[in-house]
Amino acid sequence: MTKLNSLNERIMSTMRILDSHAHLDDDLFDTDRDELFESMAQTGIETAIIPGVSPERWDKQLDIAKRYSCPYGLGIHPWFCEDNPQQALKQLTDKLNRYREDPYLVAIGECGLDKIRKDNWDGQIIALEAQLSMAQQLNLPVILHVVKAHSEMLAILKRYSLPRGGVIHGFYGSLEIASEYIKLGFKLGIGGLILNTSARKLKTCVAQLPLESLLIETDSPAMTPRNAAESRNTPLILQSIIAEIANLHKKSSVLISEHAFRNAVQLFDLKLILI
Ligand SMILES: [Zn+2]
């Protein structure tokens, strides 16, 4: 082992890391999920929060979350939202009633607004507002997916006061938009996009974000960084994301990972899950 490698290993062993957003229930992980969790453990990644996306996927998601002791969210993603989402919302209410006492259920979501898929826009709004109400009632944070719809999302969030706030996952936007979310009690999830040299706007924003507002995530298996060796994204790129944020803030990776870890534990109340 080279000196640098052993130094890196020592630094990594002092960092506590979790992926605040990874779809590890995805079929793309079916062939080597055990090995992936093993590699995560070896590189100091303690766990991943698995967000819910649609009624058809919840049972497998819950099964994987249970098998690997992962915290999870339950929700309807805007891509999987029908024009009339009432039936899916009823199924979500039933699932939440069944799992509301489970300490591993840590959020509602992911839900949100995505203008790239605007054919179901009305359904997206109905599903989002219903899920924000559920988060209020159950006193849970929300995991939000927001693509090209920040002004619409901010207007809706201002009408709901969410006791536990939430996260704008895979955040891509300006510092002004980030500040609006922070004022409403939200954190910003920073993912693999920050590793792309062309993501200048995001880098400028992240460099100025208060460290108390930052979460790190991969959105695996999606959002693979451009020059990655594998087309499937995995939580194993978290250290690179931390290193890039450290570089932008001119701080150490240990400090950035400490903040991101603490922020996730506070937001999702993971104290009892992570020892
Ligand atoms: Zn996602």
Side-chain angles (χ1 to χ4, degrees):
M1 189 183 284
T2 66
K3 249 189 192 163
L4 193 63
N5 272 348
S6 77
L7 180 67
N8 277 345
E9 291 221 334
R10 256 185 294 141
I11 290 171
M12 261 156 44
S13 68
T14 64
M15 302 199 319
R16 297 195 74 182
I17 303 173
L18 66 86
D19 194 335
S20 65
H21 192 112
H23 299 275
L24 298 183
D25 56 323
D26 194 284
D27 295 351
L28 285 174
F29 297 112
D30 283 354
T31 53
D32 62 348
R33 195 172 281 109
D34 282 349
E35 290 88 335
L36 176 61
F37 272 91
E38 182 69 23
S39 305
M40 285 163 61
Q42 276 168 10
T43 52
I45 301 166
E46 297 185 26
T47 193
I49 298 175
I50 306 182
V53 294
S54 73
E56 295 71 33
R57 293 260 303 266
W58 292 332
D59 285 340
K60 180 177 178 190
Q61 178 209 355
L62 288 164
D63 182 47
I64 303 289
K66 194 168 186 282
R67 198 174 328 153
Y68 296 94
S69 303
C70 291
Y72 61 89
L74 279 173
I76 303 162
H77 190 291
W79 293 359
F80 302 98
C81 185
E82 291 177 22
D83 281 339
N84 181 354
Q86 293 308 338
Q87 195 190 335
L89 287 167
K90 163 87 177 60
Q91 286 171 283
L92 180 57
T93 306
D94 292 346
K95 261 301 185 243
L96 288 169
N97 281 336
R98 191 158 155 219
Y99 286 89
R100 61 192 299 169
E101 303 297 335
D102 181 0
Y104 285 82
L105 170 67
V106 298
I108 300 291
E110 64 180 291
C111 50
L113 297 175
D114 192 326
K115 267 209 187 141
I116 292 176
R117 306 263 173 126
K118 59 179 166 213
D119 49 310
N120 63 350
W121 183 253
D122 293 346
Q124 288 189 32
I125 301 262
I126 295 167
L128 169 66
E129 296 211 23
Q131 290 176 90
L132 294 177
S133 296
M134 292 175 196
Q136 272 179 333
Q137 281 161 22
L138 295 177
N139 196 29
L140 285 170
V142 281
I143 299 170
L144 294 178
H145 167 113
V146 193
V147 174
K148 296 193 186 295
H150 289 303
S151 55
E152 291 87 346
M153 180 60 84
L154 282 162
I156 291 174
L157 291 178
K158 280 174 190 159
R159 287 197 280 112
Y160 286 80
S161 79
L162 295 177
R164 305 253 318 260
V167 57
I168 312 302
H169 110 81
F171 178 72
Y172 190 89
S174 65
L175 186 64
E176 290 69 35
I177 293 171
S179 308
E180 291 278 308
Y181 284 120
I182 291 169
K183 262 191 256 163
L184 292 168
F186 280 76
K187 311 239 180 262
L188 292 317
I190 305 302
L193 271 180
I194 197 81
L195 300 176
N196 292 339
T197 39
S198 59
R200 265 186 238 116
K201 184 171 130 189
L202 183 62
K203 286 178 194 275
T204 310
C205 169
V206 170
Q208 297 171 77
L209 272 185
L211 294 181
E212 293 67 35
S213 302
L214 196 88
L215 295 189
I216 53 164
E217 60 163 77
T218 63
D219 203 11
S220 299
M223 306 300 286
T224 310
R226 230 169 261 163
N227 53 0
E230 207 188 345
S231 64
R232 178 187 73 166
N233 197 10
T234 78
L236 301 176
I237 66 161
L238 284 170
Q239 278 93 347
S240 307
I241 296 173
I242 292 168
E244 179 58 21
I245 298 173
N247 179 37
L248 292 167
H249 274 263
K250 301 189 173 47
K251 298 267 179 1
S252 71
S253 288
V254 173
L255 186 93
I256 300 298
S257 67
E258 264 174 17
H259 275 278
F261 190 85
R262 196 184 318 141
N263 295 341
V265 169
Q266 279 171 357
L267 177 64
F268 297 109
D269 199 10
L270 305 175
K271 291 184 296 291
L272 298 175
I273 300 175
L274 301 167
I275 301 145

